[in-house]
Amino acid sequence: MDAALLLNVEGIKKTILHGGLGELPNFITGTRVTFHFRTMKCDEERTVIDDSKQAGQPMHLIIGNMFKLEVWELLLTSMRVREVAEFWCDTIHTGVYPILSRSLRQMAEGKDPTEWHVHTCGLANMFAYHTLGYEDLDELQKEPQPLLFVIELLQVEAPSEYQRETWNLSNAERMQAVPILHGEGNRLFKLGRYEEASAKYQEAIVCLRNLQTKEKPWEAQWLKLEKMINTLTLNYCQCLLKRAEYYEVLEHTSDILRHHPGIVKAYYVRARAHAEVWNEAEAKADLEKVLELEPAMRKAVHRELRLLESRLEEKREEERLRCQHMLG
């Protein structure tokens, strides 16, 4: 076993367990890598969390897609074909792993990996993590920790070598990507990295829009995708509010409400945007609609109304002083 090798990236250590073949492959954007992995905790027992060999199917990752755990791309592009290596990854690289793991487990069990996505983002706590449905993953979600990844690189294919197969797999790839992108967007939002969070939400929306084009409008699967798109769009609007892009928020929320007039969060987010651009009547009307549809939101609505009145009073005082100054 070779000594631990640093990858010149903070929080990653590599140990080669079995040397690979030939030169380091050319990992251009679009290259598909096929690999087995085993994920373990860093405890004395090296507790196994996931093992693709036990699941009976290797993993595929497209270089440049950033759909899965982003650190895996760094790890894989340091490897030769048939190499086996162990990577220690610090918490900064493993925060989104529980979401990825959950998606992989659901697919292995023949379930829809995006089902959780529809029920997240409740109004009372818009960015709260909900249970992932697996006790060990919930524990990791609550208390992120360093992880060990043992990876065996099986195959590296240039984009032209697998094009036909990729078309067949693209829908599954997109479906698998959505909850991961959503979770990563939520994480970045909590860190105050609103522009990066916006990009994750947008990427997930594009995946869903592509999938939706293959469904018949207003039928069950199309509506399910539409609901997911609306959730992500409203999360995107939360980022826009933080970035003071109020008119874009008004555009997105109004578009949602034209087609789905019962979505409470859309009224709430639009009310906040109206308040920021001094549309007093519109903001109050949207907040009243929130109360009508969701009485449990009373506390949040009253807080927004108090904030609106306070800002309007400040504006009136500024205008009064400006008029005095002009007359004086």
Side-chain angles (χ1 to χ4, degrees), residues 13-249:
K13 292 178 184 177
K14 174 181 178 180
T15 304
I16 297 175
L17 306 180
H18 185 278
L21 305 173
E23 298 296 317
L24 193 69
N26 184 16
F27 294 99
I28 62 171
T29 298
T31 297
R32 185 172 72 170
V33 293
T34 304
F35 60 100
H36 273 301
F37 74 95
R38 183 165 69 252
T39 306
M40 298 174 289
K41 292 184 178 180
C42 296
D43 53 14
E44 286 185 20
E45 296 79 17
R46 291 165 65 92
T47 304
V48 176
I49 301 170
D50 293 301
D51 189 331
S52 65
K53 286 188 177 179
Q54 285 188 359
Q57 193 170 350
M59 276 284 293
H60 300 289
L61 183 147
I62 309 299
I63 299 299
N65 261 11
M66 296 300 185
F67 276 173
K68 300 181 176 67
L69 192 67
E70 291 186 18
V71 72
W72 276 3
E73 189 167 307
L74 282 173
L75 309 185
L76 287 158
T77 53
S78 76
M79 299 179 71
R80 292 171 169 79
V81 174
R82 293 295 168 185
E83 180 181 323
V84 181
E86 179 177 288
F87 298 89
W88 174 88
C89 294
D90 205 353
T91 311
I92 57 172
H93 299 294
T94 62
V96 79
Y97 182 80
I99 300 168
L100 168 63
S101 175
R102 194 262 184 198
S103 179
L104 295 175
R105 292 182 189 186
Q106 291 288 93
M107 292 185 77
E109 293 166 12
K111 298 177 182 175
D112 183 348
T114 63
E115 190 63 43
W116 75 286
H117 185 100
V118 176
H119 305 292
T120 56
C121 293
L123 279 165
N125 191 357
M126 290 178 183
F127 294 96
Y129 283 118
H130 290 221
T131 178
L132 296 173
Y134 299 91
E135 197 172 322
D136 60 335
L137 300 184
D138 284 340
E139 180 190 334
L140 277 180
Q141 184 88 306
K142 289 173 188 169
E143 297 181 19
Q145 56 191 267
L147 295 174
L148 293 170
F149 299 109
V150 175
I151 296 177
E152 179 184 359
L153 181 56
L154 302 174
Q155 189 175 24
V156 177
E157 298 166 281
S160 60
E161 294 174 337
Y162 70 92
Q163 189 169 10
R164 184 176 298 172
E165 188 178 351
T166 300
W167 281 108
N168 293 335
L169 294 175
S170 60
N171 288 348
E173 282 282 327
R174 286 175 183 142
M175 195 62 95
Q176 187 180 334
V178 170
I180 298 164
L181 290 165
H182 186 178
E184 184 67 2
N186 290 356
R187 185 184 71 83
L188 291 165
F189 185 94
K190 284 185 171 183
L191 294 172
R193 292 157 62 178
Y194 304 120
E195 191 166 345
E196 292 171 77
S198 296
K200 295 294 181 184
Y201 294 138
Q202 284 179 300
E203 198 172 347
I205 290 165
V206 168
C207 286
L208 291 169
R209 289 285 184 210
N210 284 332
L211 289 167
Q212 201 180 37
T213 61
K214 297 169 177 63
E215 303 295 335
K216 192 170 181 180
W218 304 102
E219 292 199 349
Q221 184 62 17
W222 188 95
L223 285 169
K224 180 186 173 184
L225 294 168
E226 180 80 352
K227 188 172 184 180
M228 294 164 68
I229 289 165
N230 289 338
T231 297
L232 283 158
T233 301
L234 290 169
N235 283 9
Y236 174 64
C237 286
Q238 294 282 352
C239 297
L240 294 177
L241 284 173
K242 294 289 188 181
R243 294 164 57 193
E245 301 284 353
Y246 305 123
Y247 289 102
E248 190 175 344
V249 173

